[in-house]
Amino acid sequence: MVKIPLGREVGYVDTYSPKLLFPIAREQSRNDLGIALGQLPFTGVDIWNAYELSWLNTKGKPQVACAEFRFPCESVSIVESKSFKLYLNSLNQTVFTDQQALQQQMAEDLSACVGATVEVFIRDVASGNAISQLEGICLDNLDISMTSYAPEPALLTTGEHNTGESLYSHLLRSLCPVTAQPDWASVEICYTGPQINHEGLLKYLIGYRQHQEFHEQCVERIFTDISVRCQPKQLSVKALYTRRGGMDINPFRSNKPIVPDNIRLNRQ
């Protein structure tokens, strides 16, 4: 069994080291969902935001910035989060001729790691994303009772009428599959088709509270379960996970070719 950096004590390197990046294949989790290789039922992207990016200019003066990384869902692998943080730390005492050179180097390294073209955008710390809010109907005030904390697709039911809705909840919590530490998120579900029962959907989402899976895998599971059980004509699922180690992860999946905005919520 391959040991990944997450959950292990490691040394911290502060000079450029792309070998720190560790890929995790998407295939196994998609096999569990019945998604065949090369036949994705969705398009999408995993948006990572880094708030602790730093390097040296040619005079040895530290530079700081924020960065946005977009990993296409078609990539062979995801990048393991701790390895990504270690890689970014390895840039701290590394000289780059300019910001463009750093951006190009990170894009090359990350693309090689995950097996697809990764987009990288470096931004000044003064021009980061402003705080936004999710739009639509919040499910969190529904008066429900919970007896189980595991995802139960059977809770996803529909009525007779068709509709179009944007629904969201701040109650999504899942667990890291390696360390079992909690990952907190807000999730937004936009769809058209048979109306989804709101109480059942909220119970289903809360069911992830003790579920161990990576962020990207949770979103693909939510998308797949809703698709199978509710048969929407159009469906988009986006989760905005809170920051850990100076980074947040925001997976997005849709059955339509939509380019999602990179919004930031108050908890991020």
Side-chain angles (χ1 to χ4, degrees):
M1 183 177 182
V2 179
K3 293 183 178 180
I4 66 177
L6 189 62
R8 293 195 294 125
E9 188 173 325
V10 296
Y12 287 87
V13 178
D14 61 5
T15 52
Y16 173 64
S17 182
K19 66 182 181 181
L20 291 168
L21 292 168
F22 190 94
I24 297 176
R26 295 188 190 266
E27 184 177 7
Q28 182 57 58
S29 65
R30 289 176 174 174
N31 285 343
D32 293 343
L33 296 174
I35 298 175
L37 187 66
Q39 298 180 4
L40 298 183
F42 46 67
T43 63
V45 63
D46 304 324
I47 302 175
W48 295 56
N49 293 301
Y51 301 93
E52 300 174 1
L53 180 64
S54 185
W55 68 99
L56 302 179
N57 69 11
T58 54
K59 295 182 178 180
K61 181 182 177 181
Q63 308 292 294
V64 295
C66 296
E68 174 187 333
F69 306 90
R70 288 184 173 243
F71 296 83
C73 70
E74 296 84 5
S75 65
V76 176
S77 303
I78 62 175
V79 60
E80 189 275 320
S81 61
K82 185 173 183 179
S83 79
F84 197 174
K85 296 162 193 171
L86 292 172
Y87 165 76
L88 292 181
N89 285 338
S90 82
L91 306 173
N92 291 171
Q93 291 298 109
T94 303
V95 174
F96 289 90
T97 55
D98 54 32
Q99 183 172 294
Q100 181 61 37
L102 172 60
Q103 183 169 298
Q104 181 176 341
Q105 189 62 68
M106 289 194 295
E108 290 178 1
D109 294 340
L110 292 166
S111 298
C113 176
V114 303
T117 300
V118 177
E119 294 182 287
V120 179
F121 307 94
I122 298 178
R123 299 189 174 93
D124 184 84
V125 293
S127 60
N129 291 345
I131 301 298
S132 300
Q133 294 182 350
L134 295 176
E135 298 181 354
I137 300 171
C138 181
L139 302 175
D140 296 348
N141 292 326
L142 293 173
D143 186 15
I144 61 171
S145 298
M146 297 295 299
T147 57
S148 173
Y149 296 99
E152 297 183 30
L155 292 169
L156 298 169
T157 61
T158 60
E160 297 179 357
H161 301 290
N162 290 332
T163 189
E165 293 184 307
S166 292
L167 309 173
Y168 68 91
S169 172
H170 301 298
L171 302 184
L172 181 63
R173 189 195 87 153
S174 56
L175 302 179
C176 171
V178 179
T179 66
Q181 292 183 5
D183 293 316
W184 306 90
S186 299
V187 60
E188 180 184 61
I189 296 161
C190 301
Y191 76 96
T192 60
Q195 185 167 35
I196 299 173
N197 179 278
H198 290 185
E199 290 189 3
L201 176 59
L202 182 59
K203 288 182 178 181
Y204 168 80
L205 294 173
I206 292 175
Y208 280 79
R209 195 169 181 83
Q210 299 292 344
H211 181 72
Q212 291 186 274
E213 216 167 24
F214 291 117
H215 304 64
E216 301 91 337
Q217 296 167 352
C218 286
V219 169
E220 292 187 358
R221 184 175 297 277
I222 293 169
F223 180 95
T224 301
D225 285 346
I226 294 175
S227 294
V228 172
R229 298 288 305 185
C230 302
Q231 297 291 306
K233 295 179 180 178
Q234 183 171 345
L235 174 65
S236 298
V237 177
K238 173 170 59 180
L240 299 100
Y241 279 86
T242 59
R243 195 183 310 186
R244 183 189 288 182
M247 303 183 76
D248 62 46
I249 306 173
N250 309 274
F252 173 83
R253 300 292 183 269
S254 177
N255 61 3
K256 298 291 184 181
I258 300 171
V259 178
D261 293 332
N262 182 17
I263 67 170
R264 176 185 172 196
L265 301 182
N266 185 57
R267 290 196 296 171
Q268 296 179 294

